[in-house]
Structures are given as C-alpha cells and as structure tokens.
Amino acid sequence: MGRRKKMVERVTALMSDPVMIRNIGIVAHIDHGKTTLSDNLLAGAGMISKELAGRQLFMDSDAEEQERGITIDSANVSMVHEYEDKEYLINLIDTPGHVDFGGDVTRAMRAVDGAVVVIDAVEGTMPQTETVLRQALKEHVRPVLFINKVDRLINELQVDDQEMQIRLGKLIDHVNKLIKGMNEERYNAGWKVNAAEGTVAFGSALYNWAISVPMMKKTGVSFSDVFNYCREEDMKALAEKCPLHEAVNDMVIRFLPSPIDAQKGRVGAIWHGDRESGIGKQMSVADATGDVAFMVTDITMDPHAGEVSTGRLFSGSLSRGMEVYVSGASKTNRIQQVGVFMGPERLEVDAIPAGNIAAVTGLRDAFVGATVTTLEGMEPFESIKHASEPVVTVA
Ligand code: GDP
C-alpha cells in the first residue's frame, strides 16, 4: 500500500476514536519560533518531508502551496504520533503571533482543547505571550510550555550549565505567576506548568531537539549532556537522541486533554444553554450520535470548492447532503462536502464524528463564530470575544 493511502487509513481510523485525538494550538509572541516548531513537528511525524520543513512552508506560505497544486489549508494541519505503542491524531490549528491578530487567536482557541505556549529562552515572556495565555485560560484551553531557543542561551549568552537551569527555572516560575494571576481557579485545579511532572519541554526548534524530564528518563540524556552537545556544536547528535517532535508530541498526548475529557469542562465556558438538556449532555460527552453542534472558527476560500468553513464539532456527526441550521439564517443550509486534515491537506470523507476539527462546504450563511446545528432553535455558542477587547456599551 502506498504511503499516502496508509496515512489516509490511519487518519480516518483515529478520527472515529476521540480518546485518541488531541486538538491543539501553538501560541507564542512573534518570532519566538511558532512556525519553526510547527514545521518540525509535521516533518517529525512524517507528514511532510524533512527537506521542506526547514523552509517554513506550511504554516505561512501561499505561493508554495499553489505551486504544489494540492489543497493546503495552512491554518490547519494534522499529524499521527505514536506514544506508548498507540497512535494518536494531533490536530494543530495555526494561531497568528502578532498582537493585531488577537481576534484570530481567540477563534483558534475555541476550536482546540490544549495549547503549547512557546517562549524564547532568551527573551522570556512578552506582551503577546500574556495575551495568548489569557485567551487560552478564558476559553478553558489547557497550556503546556515549550521553552525554545535554548541553544541561544548557551552559544550566544554563554551561560554555564548551572546558570542555564536557573534561568529556565525562573521562566517557568514566571509563567506560573501569570497563570495564577489570570485564572486562580484553573491554577489551583492543577493547570500550572511543572518541569518535574513533564508539562514543560526545553529545546531548539531550529536545531530540531527538545528535552523534558520524562524524555530525560526515556533517553538517559541529562541537562549537562544537553549543555555539552550545544557547547560542542553537536546539536545534530542531540536531535537524533532527543527529537523535537517526540518530546513535544509526547507531552501533548500525555498532558493535554482528549475532546472527551475536555468537553465536560469546556462546554459550560463557551455555551450558556441548559447543560441538562439533550444537546447539553451530548456536547459534554462528545456524542457522535447526537444532534450536530458545530462552531465555525475560520472561513477560507478554496479555488475549487469555494468557501470552506472550518471549526470544531462538539456533538453529532457531519456528512454530505445534511440540512443544517446556521445561527442567524432563516433557511437551512445543505452541506456539500466534509473534510478533515491529513498533514497539510484537506481530505474529503463521508462523515466526521464529534470531537474533530472539520472543514465543511455548502454553508452559505456561515460566518466566523456561527453555530451550525441540526437542532432547530439551539442556543448558539457564546460569541467569540477577544479577552483584551474593550467592552462596548450602547446607550
Ligand atoms: P514565529 O514568528 O513565532 O513563527 O517565529 P519563527 O518560527 O518564524 O522564528 C523566528 C526566527 O527565530 C527565525 O529566524 C528562526 O529561524 C529563529 N528560530 C526559531 N527557533 C529557533 C531556535 O530554536 N534557535 C535559534 N537560535 N533560532 C530559532
């Protein structure tokens, strides 16, 4: 069987088993390495070639996408990762790093259940780190931390082994102070990040390596070893021993929730209908046999398929030909195509069950933030608001 066909089979099999899915975003201040990290994760999972990964294609280049002549939605990619002998599907939603795109970050946060917060080890947290972290917590999206550019600490700032660990420890403390200040309830519920437990990874997206405490135990590579590899400019060897995608994806699978685990807590934060109603209960457990409850978080134009509405399916299953209500529209819309992501490609499938990120065509009345449902009169999802947006009151 060809490589692509095999991948299609793996993705479609995992799609139907929400326990094996992680919907995540990577959030960062601009230039802290979000694109480099995303590309490397994809290459590491075998979803794009390693040669392409270094050229930062998939998360931000339109021209290359067109040249390749396939449907690439740069905002959404998926990858299959094996953890403790089981395969998982990780859906990664792109989030803009620039402060002007705060609204887009919010949209992306609505679709995911977990976030990898990327921080430059030298610069530390920056204003946009705070904004995206606040947004994640508000949307009930759990964070883990990736401290990037550790190579710069060693090779540019010339810190020694001990100083490196002290600096990293201070960064982690600072992130926890932010989490505590922004949402004490979540902090107390165990959402702080903790290196010893494994919710923090350190590394270099540029040089393709990363380490966490669980990864140290797995590989036998210590902090001093990391330091020595960087000092001796042998990061290639380090990347072989501690590949970036393994450290980060292991952390994502182990610590970020599946849709089944996440939706229990998330539904109350993003939907104000009756939790005890049929649809309320169906969304809490991501019931694929229930009514459709789909929230549109992004709309893109596809030269062949037209408008594509991407979003998160909280309950029910989406399929071709289905008639659905779109919030605010008087008539039902007919779904033309439904698709999921495979690597950077959109893959058309017959049906998509709850818990997934879905791409749908035919929703002519859809807008970003729209609720799409088979249940007439369903209370729509809370409208998407950016955390730092001023509240406008109308007299
Ligand atoms: P984004 O704006 O967050 O997407 O950041 P990019 O991924 O585009 O990275 C910004 C710059 O930092 C680029 O020049 C990268 O090559 C560089 N960079 C990314 N990761 C690392 C790293 O681990 N070490 C070093 N030294 N540079 C990095």
Side-chain angles (χ1 to χ4, degrees), residues 369-380:
T371 301
V372 176
T373 178
T374 44
L375 180 68
E376 192 173 8
M378 177 190 161
E379 164 85 21

Side-chain angles (χ1 to χ4, degrees), residues 132-203:
V132 291
L133 191 55
R134 180 175 291 113
Q135 202 60 48
L137 294 169
K138 180 173 171 282
E139 291 283 328
H140 216 292
V141 166
R142 185 174 182 143
V144 289
L145 183 63
F146 178 63
I147 305 183
N148 190 30
K149 308 199 189 184
V150 172
D151 58 290
R152 289 186 65 200
L153 279 182
I154 300 162
N155 295 331
E156 283 175 37
L157 300 194
Q158 305 273 320
V159 302
D160 64 21
D161 184 356
Q162 261 207 326
E163 171 74 10
M164 172 177 86
Q165 292 192 46
I166 292 170
R167 277 180 179 251
L168 295 175
K170 279 188 181 159
L171 259 177
I172 296 168
D173 288 346
H174 185 65
V175 169
N176 280 326
K177 273 201 192 109
L178 290 175
I179 295 175
K180 192 172 181 197
M182 289 167 184
N183 197 325
E184 200 156 353
E185 192 193 330
R186 299 262 73 77
Y187 178 86
N188 290 335
W191 281 31
K192 61 183 168 195
V193 290
N194 184 321
E197 279 174 10
T199 41
V200 182
F202 319 85

Side-chain angles (χ1 to χ4, degrees), residues 28-38 56 60 97 118 120 146 148-152 156 203-209:
H29 188 81
I30 192 153
D31 274 348
H32 281 197
K34 186 170 63 74
T35 313
T36 313
L37 174 63
S38 310
Q56 299 190 359
D60 63 6
V118 180
D120 179 329
F146 178 63
N148 190 30
K149 308 199 189 184
V150 172
D151 58 290
R152 289 186 65 200
E156 283 175 37
S204 168
L206 187 61
Y207 295 105
N208 218 5
W209 61 268

Side-chain angles (χ1 to χ4, degrees), residues 64-361:
E64 283 283 353
E65 288 169 10
Q66 282 153 18
E67 245 170 62
R68 285 166 55 86
I70 52 172
T71 314
I72 293 178
D73 183 328
S74 60
N76 307 282
V77 294
S78 70
M79 52 202 153
V80 176
H81 181 70
E82 195 176 310
Y83 175 68
E84 292 186 339
D85 298 327
K86 286 192 189 130
E87 286 195 329
Y88 291 79
L89 181 66
I90 299 178
N91 293 315
L92 175 61
I93 307 297
D94 191 24
T95 55
H98 194 270
V99 74
D100 289 350
F101 297 119
D104 289 342
V105 175
T106 315
R107 280 171 219 157
M109 286 296 105
R110 184 60 61 89
V112 300
D113 303 310
V116 178
V117 180
V118 180
I119 298 179
D120 179 329
V122 174
E123 280 202 344
T125 60
M126 296 293 276
Q128 186 65 1
T129 320
E130 296 191 23
T131 309
V132 291
L133 191 55
R134 180 175 291 113
Q135 202 60 48
L137 294 169
K138 180 173 171 282
E139 291 283 328
H140 216 292
V141 166
R142 185 174 182 143
V144 289
L145 183 63
F146 178 63
I147 305 183
N148 190 30
K149 308 199 189 184
V150 172
D151 58 290
R152 289 186 65 200
L153 279 182
I154 300 162
N155 295 331
E156 283 175 37
L157 300 194
Q158 305 273 320
V159 302
D160 64 21
D161 184 356
Q162 261 207 326
E163 171 74 10
M164 172 177 86
Q165 292 192 46
I166 292 170
R167 277 180 179 251
L168 295 175
K170 279 188 181 159
L171 259 177
I172 296 168
D173 288 346
H174 185 65
V175 169
N176 280 326
K177 273 201 192 109
L178 290 175
I179 295 175
K180 192 172 181 197
M182 289 167 184
N183 197 325
E184 200 156 353
E185 192 193 330
R186 299 262 73 77
Y187 178 86
N188 290 335
W191 281 31
K192 61 183 168 195
V193 290
N194 184 321
E197 279 174 10
T199 41
V200 182
F202 319 85
S204 168
L206 187 61
Y207 295 105
N208 218 5
W209 61 268
I211 192 95
S212 61
V213 171
M215 191 80 171
M216 285 178 188
K217 288 186 186 143
K218 194 161 139 183
T219 59
V221 172
S222 68
F223 256 123
S224 306
D225 296 333
V226 167
F227 181 82
N228 289 330
Y229 277 117
C230 291
R231 245 308 142 72
E232 286 156 21
E233 297 192 11
D234 195 8
M235 286 195 267
K236 221 171 167 188
L238 185 55
E240 271 163 32
K241 281 193 174 6
C242 306
L244 174 99
H245 78 280
E246 198 173 315
V248 175
N249 284 343
D250 280 4
M251 174 167 78
V252 162
I253 287 163
R254 185 159 165 212
F255 295 101
L256 296 180
S258 74
I260 295 279
D261 288 335
Q263 284 188 206
K264 282 184 213 99
R266 288 201 71 208
V267 169
I270 61 179
W271 185 70
H272 302 308
D274 179 3
R275 301 280 302 281
E276 292 305 313
S277 64
I279 190 76
K281 285 183 184 158
Q282 288 160 7
M283 285 199 285
S284 299
V285 296
D287 182 357
T289 64
D291 284 305
V292 164
F294 176 65
M295 172 142 197
V296 178
T297 54
D298 192 23
I299 295 184
T300 49
M301 268 308 284
D302 181 285
H304 311 291
E307 263 191 11
V308 182
S309 303
T310 302
R312 170 67 178 265
L313 183 60
F314 287 93
S315 80
S317 293
L318 290 168
S319 58
R320 199 180 307 135
M322 201 174 225
E323 291 286 341
V324 288
Y325 300 96
V326 179
S327 50
S330 53
K331 286 194 190 134
T332 55
N333 284 195
R334 190 182 178 81
I335 292 177
Q336 277 169 4
Q337 285 178 359
V338 291
V340 288
F341 296 92
M342 188 189 75
E345 294 177 56
R346 208 177 61 238
L347 181 76
E348 207 188 322
V349 291
D350 293 332
I352 300 175
N356 282 283
I357 307 293
V360 181
T361 61

